[in-house]
Every structure is written in structure tokens, then in C-alpha cells.
Amino acid sequence: MFGNTESNLEVTGIDFLKSQNTQQHHTDGYNIKNLVVRRGQAFHVQVSLNRELRAADKLSLRFGIGENPVKDKGTLLSLKPEQEDFNGWKISVVKKNGKECLLSVTSSPNAVVGKYNLHVKTGANVYKPENGVIYLLFNPWCEDDVVYMANEAQRKEYVLNDTGYIYVGSAHSIYDRPWNYGQFEEFVLDACMYLLDKSKLSLTDRRDPANVSRAMSALVNANDDSGVLLGNWSGNYINGTSPMDWIGSVTILQKYYKTKKPVRYGQCWVFAGVLNTVMRCLGVPSRCVSTFDAAHDTEENLRVDVYLNERGEKLNSLSLDSVWNFHVWNDAWMKRTDLPEGFHGWQAIDSTPQEQSQGRFQCGPCPVKAVREGDVYLPYDSKFVYAEVNADRVYWLVKKVNGKDKYFKVGTETQAIGKKISTKAVGQNRREDITREYKYPEGSKEERMSMQRAYSFIRPSGMVPRSGYASTIQTLSGSIQPLVPKEPVTKTGLHLEITNTEPLHPGNPLEMAITVKTSTPGNWTVDLTGSCQLQYYTGKVQANLGTIKETVKLEGTSEMQIPMKIAPDAYMKTLSSLEDEVLILVTAIAEVKETNDKLTKETSMRFQYPPITVQMPETAKLYNDFSCAFIFKNKLNVTLENCKLLVEGLGIFKRTTFDQGDIMPGRIMKSEIICTPTKLGEKKIIAKLISNQIKGISTEKAITITE
């Protein structure tokens, strides 16, 4: 009779109280059967026993992480109720009710992030629950976690929002590309855990978001570690998916997790979209950041050389460095415990494979404040990020003199790089300009001081074309004199503006104008050379469309507009044959005969397209079907060939492709899809139309799903 009550204590079951825990931990969105919680915050488990728990009983919860968890390495945590904490973890009994025992577990706010196996030990018995793997993430809601973010609206945007926009185009015409991050979708968290294991970070290193974000910037590209995405800028995507065809990260990460092989193909916004998903999924607040006119490969000399021929056309062949119309990277939010005070907050990370850092294609985390202050000696890769947003652009005219190429400087722009740095606004569907977080206002005292600071760590060469003709400018002390950054003020007050005078619709003539202005007394004769080219966003020229040469006579403060018109035949064939979206590049060189003043200006513009409209109800009920229609009217004067409509709605339907064939001018395309919502709240549907002629028409529409 008594023997029975003295029986050994055994666990008969465990309830992870998933719905209550995940709501409190803001992890209820994850589509996974396991418990997902955040570090530094209590969660509850209900343990069922074969008899009541007594004071003398030995009960411990064991959390193990990694291949072979051991106590002395801190990878096996053995927690007993009411005991002193173990590596910052603690456990307590909330209440006992007969054979049921409710326990509260609080992990350390700097615990290792990853997958833990939970076993319950009672005396000599060990109970291994089904689905006993618990996922532990970073916690922006916990004040003691280094990723703590105080503002709730920001946490909603930068951690929990699974859709957003990535800004692309050119500084002259920015547009938003809707993107599904989908950090809560099936297999995405598992893919991130796989990447953590693949990163070869020690478990200790996995406590710190700086190490984790650096490792993820390396693993999102396939270079040197067969990571997630293979970059391809060649224009040939025959054995993969064209970078233009993605509308979100989910398909990419799911495919990668399934095959464990790099997915083909990515360009910068795809790398940034995927890295954003990975960081938000792991619990690190992050955002996609687009910089317009970003400098690449400047070899830390803070200068990009642009070479023009005598017709004013940009030459690809000579340039080692380049200005990309836009480049997208990410900012991740954290305290940098490895750096002096003052560099907490946003850190730039970049997974587009451009340059090796410490032997791998990785970039960051680089404190955004270090870029602004010119503290470019701080880890990681701050010189590289500084140059991307602060380089000067120098124009060289290449002329044949006695059969040899000679280089003539025809302009320097010191405020042309790193413009309109953009991200999606918090809680709103609009662009927020964050240039001020990266740079002081151009020409301000702070900017000058920051620049002098940066120049003390970076040694820019003097004004020499890369081909190495002239000698550097030496000062008395022998150090290299940084160029004083000023827009060239000419004797004539010469100024150039480039605009389009009609909408730039594919199939129509491209009608543009170059305006030449002078603003000082006198009679001026200005030789104007202008060219129009098609280029990729990386600055690589794809076609020369036409040039103009004019001599303009101006007096005092006056201006003249010179038209430039390109017939559709000059560009439509090229446009239809390219796999990527292209921009229209107009370059103008002006030389004043009387004073020999020279000025160069370039502007990139994007084609304008008719819209796609989405028709669907504003609200729908969970698990109740609704119909969604996509309508597109071809208002262009040209047939759109091989049209594909790509659509995706997180929590509504998976990425689907409709082949639409050719759409003639004036014709209307309509596609319909029946949707079954599986998640509550505001959901977005993204649609994108791709054809031989145009790559960039996309739209999105929101619907609220209710119970």
C-alpha cells in the first residue's frame, strides 16, 4: 500500500503550451510544429507526472544544443526548480495541481541562438518528449538582449513585417519593388537554422548578432561556401530563374533547404531581400537599404573614373570601377559590445558578392554611425561601405593623339555618389529617406570634419586616371593631399540639366532635352556633346542609341534647351533581346570656347509602364474562398511578347506563374485565381508582369482576413 506512493517519480507527458507561449514571445506566426521562443523571456511548460511532486523529489529540465552537449561548455543546461541560475538561465514552479506541475523557464538574454533538445530528468528516469526541439531566437523585446529595440512600431516593421518594398530604379526615377520576405513561412526558420550550423560559428559566437549577421552575409551568396544564391549579372539566365523573376525570398529559401544547393540566380536586391528574411527570422531587427549612385570597386581610393569617347558615350572597356544606379544592402539593429561606446544601432551588412573580406565574400556589420562620422577603421568593412556612399566621380575624355589614347579631365562631381539612401517607412507603404543617418548634409562643417577623419584612414590617390598618366599631387610633408570637395564653380556659371520631355514609354520615341545655362555677364560659345545609351543598373552599357553635337551661343544669365530624340527602331530590338531591366543613360559634355571651362553631367531614367490592377474584396474570412483578378491593359504601341504573370500572397497562395503569350497593343489581359486564406490579419498579394520588352511592372494589394 505505502510502496506505491513512494514509487519513483516519472514524467508521463509535457505540454509546451504553444499558443500561449508563442503569443507572448511574438512567435505565433512561425509555420512550424515546434515551440519557438525568444531568449531572456519566460515561457511556460506543463509537466504531467505519475504522482504529486514533493520537496524531496529530484526534477530537472535539460536543454542541450549542438552535436554533443556538455555542462562545462555551457551547451548542456541542467535546470532545477528554485535553484540558482545556471549560465543565466532559471526555472521556477508556477503552480502544482495534483499530478500537474506548471514550470516557468527563462533563458539568458545572451543565450546561444539555435535549436535545443529538451529532456526531463526525474531521479534515474529521463523523459524525451515528442517534438522536444525548442527553437530559441534573438529577442528585440528584451531590454538585456543586445538586439533590444525600444519602439513597438519599429519592432512590428523590422522584425514582424513579412512584406515590404525594395527601392530600385535610378536617383532620377526611384520606384518600389514589392517583396515578400516571408520569414514565418514553412521551412524558412529551418533553412536559417541550417545556415547557422553551416556557418561553422562556434556556439559561443552564436550568442552575438554581430558574428551571426556577418556569417549570414557570407552564406546568403553562394561564393566560397555554397550558400543560398548564385549571383549572375551576365544577362544569360537560361539554366535558372532570372533575377527579375523573383518576387520574394520564400521560394528561394525553401528550394535551398530542400536541395542544399545554391539557387540560381540573384542580383543585389534579391541578395538583400533574402538576407532581410534571414535576419528577421532569427529575431534581429533589419531593413533593406537602397543607395542610388553607389560606387563599386573603388579600391578604397574614393574615386570612380568614368571614360567617355569623343561622341560623349560612356566606355565599358576601360573602367575597373563603376557606379551602380542603385545598390541594395541591409541594416541590422544591435549593440556592438566589441566596439567603443557610440556605435550601437544600425549596422550595414551586405550579402551581394563584390569583394572579399577576411578571405570570404562577406560584408559587415559596419556601424552606420562610423560611416557618418568617418571612423572608417572600425570593423567590419567600414572603408568599403564609406566609399560606396562617398566616392567622387571623375569624367575623362579619351582622345586619340598621334595614334595613342590621351585622357583629358572634363569634370569632377563630388556630391554625386550615395544619393537618396532609402528604406520602407515604419508602418507605412512609402519610401523613407535615411541619407542623414549615413552622411552629414553636403557642405556642412560636420561633413568636412567627417571627411578629414575618413581621409586620415584612407589614402586616396591624386587626380590620375587609373591608367596612370600623371603623377599624384604631393604636399611638402609628402602625404597625399585629399582633393577639396567642391562642385566646380566655372567662370561662366555653366550648368547642365537633363530631362525627358515626353513619357518614356517602350515603343515610342524617347524625347529628351539637355538644357545649357550660363549665369555670368559676357558672350559665351558652348560646344555641347550629348549621347543616349541603354545600360544595366550596374552601369554596364548595353547599346548606343544616338548622339548630338551642337554649338550654342548664350549671353549673360540665359539658357537654351537642346532636344534629343531617339526613334523606337534605334532601341526596341535591344530592349526585346535583354533579360534584365535597362535604364536610359543620357550624358552631356559642355565646353565653353572662351574660357575652356568644361562640365559633364549624366542622368539615368527608367522606362514608364502601364499598371497592373488587382481586383478583390477588401476583407475575407479565414478559410473562406475569395476570387482575385489581375487586369492589365497594354497601352503601349508595341506587342508585349512571351508575357508571364507572377503572383504570390503569403498566407493565401503559393507563388504561381500564368503564361499569357503575346499581348497586342490595346488588348486587355485578365487572370483569375481562387484564394483560400490560412492566416489572420492584413495580407498582401503581389503581382508582377514580365515580357521580352518589359521586366518591371509590379503591384500589390492588401486584404484583411478576419475570423
Side-chain angles (χ1 to χ4, degrees), residues 165-212:
Y165 303 97
I166 297 178
Y167 294 94
V168 295
S170 70
H172 176 274
S173 34
I174 297 177
Y175 77 102
D176 52 13
R177 215 170 250 167
W179 193 265
N180 279 334
Y181 299 118
Q183 65 267 37
F184 303 117
E185 299 305 299
E186 195 177 21
F187 303 124
V188 171
L189 179 57
D190 280 319
C192 294
M193 291 296 161
Y194 172 73
L195 290 174
L196 271 181
D197 288 340
K198 200 174 157 54
S199 72
K200 306 274 195 294
L201 284 175
S202 71
L203 286 168
T204 309
D205 280 345
R206 276 165 58 163
R207 299 173 188 276
D208 182 5
N211 298 326
V212 170

Side-chain angles (χ1 to χ4, degrees), residues 21-22 25 27 35-39 43 134-138:
N21 282 325
T22 55
H25 284 250
T27 53
L35 178 63
V36 181
V37 287
R38 298 185 189 276
R39 64 186 192 175
F43 64 93
I134 294 177
Y135 291 67
L136 190 66
L137 308 180
F138 291 104

